Amino acid sequence: MGAKHGWTGAVALAKDNTPHRRDDLRDAADERWRAAWVGHRPENRRISYPKKSAAIISVVADIVDWLAADYEIHGRSTDSRRSSGERAAEHVETAGPDDLAAQSAASGQSSLQASALGDTAARPPAAKESSRVAAGPGEPPRLSLVDQVEELGNALTNVVLRDIERAHHGPIPDTTKVALADHFWCDLLAQLAHVLSEGVTTVERLTGKVPELVTQLVLESRREADRLPLEEFVVRTAVNSLWKHLTVLMPFGWLVLVKRMVPIVRVLAVLMCKAPERHEAVVRYCVDPLAGQLREETKRRLLKVLGNWLTGLEGHDDEAA
């Protein structure tokens, strides 16, 4: 129902101890960008979706490289103690960059975002020890970034979907399943990241209002973008379920929640979205704030094709010209 998309493939790539697969993704992104501009006439000011999609693939490649670098420091030593059988099972269950690039070429969607939607059943989290590294004073130890992305993704595909099913008092209707696959999960994450990053200025006062704010923003966003309709109780159930999962960090304070989880929420939104180039909230609230993890060339590409959604990158306008 849309809660998987290509995020599991991105997680697998970030954890892969052979960087050539990430290099393949980078090469595919660069080639897609070059191909998108073949035959383009300078007088034609229209920016086609293949060009926008090509820029987003570069974003995904940068994010995967960032996650992989962090995993080398915080996750590799623990992961190496896992059995070869567990690692092989994960490899089979997640798509590699070649598969994802092929799917993208056939469908016109972004590379990592284009893998099959699947059904309500998500693979259970892999049985593993996760490395937890020391944090600042008074903060909980943290997982590697990619492990945190994986945990949050599994929470969506397991816990949150189960809560929606319970709210329906039975199987989720097919119409709701289809609507959930229509940019619901990435929009939920993007709007949550937006509220949390804005709410940091009001600290604890906003804490109790976050679920209601996110619920209303998601409903408004879906109406404005003419997405498939979802009943309000479905959106509210999903938001409350996700918020309950995140508030385990509340004992450490609002600032810790924002500092730790907002980047993770943003990353998962980008990786989970089937077409960020068509989803303004994901670009504005997730891609733009992650600019510090992107290559200069990727920023130039983004500004060239999605600049009107990227207020945080405005200082790079001259470079993009």
Side-chain angles (χ1 to χ4, degrees):
M1 289 185 295
K4 295 196 74 171
H5 289 297
W7 71 271
T8 53
V11 165
L13 276 180
K15 290 187 174 186
D16 196 317
N17 60 8
T18 55
H20 72 83
R21 296 180 69 233
R22 291 188 292 275
D23 293 340
D24 290 345
L25 176 60
R26 169 78 57 206
D27 291 344
D30 291 342
E31 178 55 34
R32 182 69 66 82
W33 178 256
R34 286 190 293 269
W37 291 90
V38 170
H40 178 78
R41 296 180 179 179
E43 66 272 17
N44 183 3
R45 301 181 65 85
R46 178 178 172 273
I47 302 298
S48 65
Y49 277 108
K51 295 180 178 67
K52 296 177 181 180
S53 175
I56 290 296
I57 297 172
S58 298
V59 171
V60 172
D62 287 354
I63 288 175
V64 169
D65 283 347
W66 171 43
L67 296 178
D70 177 81
Y71 190 64
E72 281 293 329
I73 299 170
H74 301 310
R76 182 71 63 198
S77 60
T78 299
D79 188 65
S80 66
R81 295 196 296 267
R82 295 162 58 202
S83 73
S84 59
E86 286 173 342
R87 291 195 296 272
E90 276 190 6
H91 179 74
V92 169
E93 291 175 331
T94 53
D98 297 335
D99 299 329
L100 294 167
Q103 292 167 6
S104 175
S107 67
Q109 294 177 339
S110 300
S111 176
L112 278 166
Q113 285 74 13
S115 60
L117 301 187
D119 53 23
T120 58
R123 65 182 180 87
K128 65 181 179 65
E129 291 182 58
S130 293
S131 61
R132 295 187 179 268
V133 296
E139 294 185 18
R142 80 163 177 85
L143 294 163
S144 67
L145 294 173
V146 70
D147 280 327
Q148 292 179 76
V149 171
E150 187 172 31
E151 281 198 350
L152 184 57
N154 283 329
L156 286 181
T157 56
N158 292 309
V159 180
V160 178
L161 271 176
R162 189 165 60 243
D163 286 345
I164 292 174
E165 190 170 57
R166 286 173 180 156
H168 273 284
H169 304 292
I172 300 174
D174 289 342
T175 53
T176 301
K177 291 180 183 179
V178 174
L180 288 172
D182 185 20
H183 287 278
F184 171 70
W185 301 102
C186 45
D187 201 43
L188 167 57
L189 293 167
Q191 301 297 349
L192 176 62
H194 175 52
V195 169
L196 288 179
S197 59
E198 292 295 316
V200 73
T201 58
T202 55
V203 198
E204 307 292 349
R205 184 173 64 83
L206 256 181
T207 304
K209 298 181 180 179
V210 168
E212 181 60 28
L213 284 171
V214 174
T215 297
Q216 294 308 315
L217 285 171
V218 170
L219 289 170
E220 291 170 15
S221 174
R222 295 190 71 78
R223 283 193 294 269
E224 291 173 2
D226 199 25
R227 308 281 187 207
L228 293 174
L230 276 169
E231 295 173 280
E232 183 171 336
F233 86 91
V234 173
V235 177
R236 193 177 303 279
T237 298
V239 172
N240 287 336
S241 179
L242 178 58
W243 184 242
K244 182 179 178 181
H245 176 79
L246 293 180
T247 51
V248 294
L249 289 178
M250 275 301 178
F252 299 96
W254 176 274
L255 291 175
V256 172
L257 175 67
V258 172
K259 175 183 173 184
R260 288 290 190 85
M261 289 310 302
V262 169
I264 303 306
V265 170
R266 287 171 175 155
V267 166
L268 186 60
V270 175
L271 299 180
M272 189 170 276
C273 186
K274 61 185 178 181
E277 67 275 8
R278 297 175 181 265
H279 196 162
E280 183 175 354
V282 170
V283 174
R284 283 192 182 277
Y285 304 143
C286 301
V287 173
D288 199 10
L290 291 171
Q293 310 305 329
L294 305 180
R295 298 181 306 160
E296 290 303 314
E297 174 59 25
T298 299
K299 294 175 188 177
R300 284 191 285 269
R301 292 174 184 180
L302 285 170
L303 281 169
K304 195 167 185 175
V305 298
L306 290 165
N308 58 323
W309 289 352
L310 295 159
T311 57
L313 287 178
E314 286 176 348
H316 296 260
D317 277 339
D318 293 338
E319 299 176 34

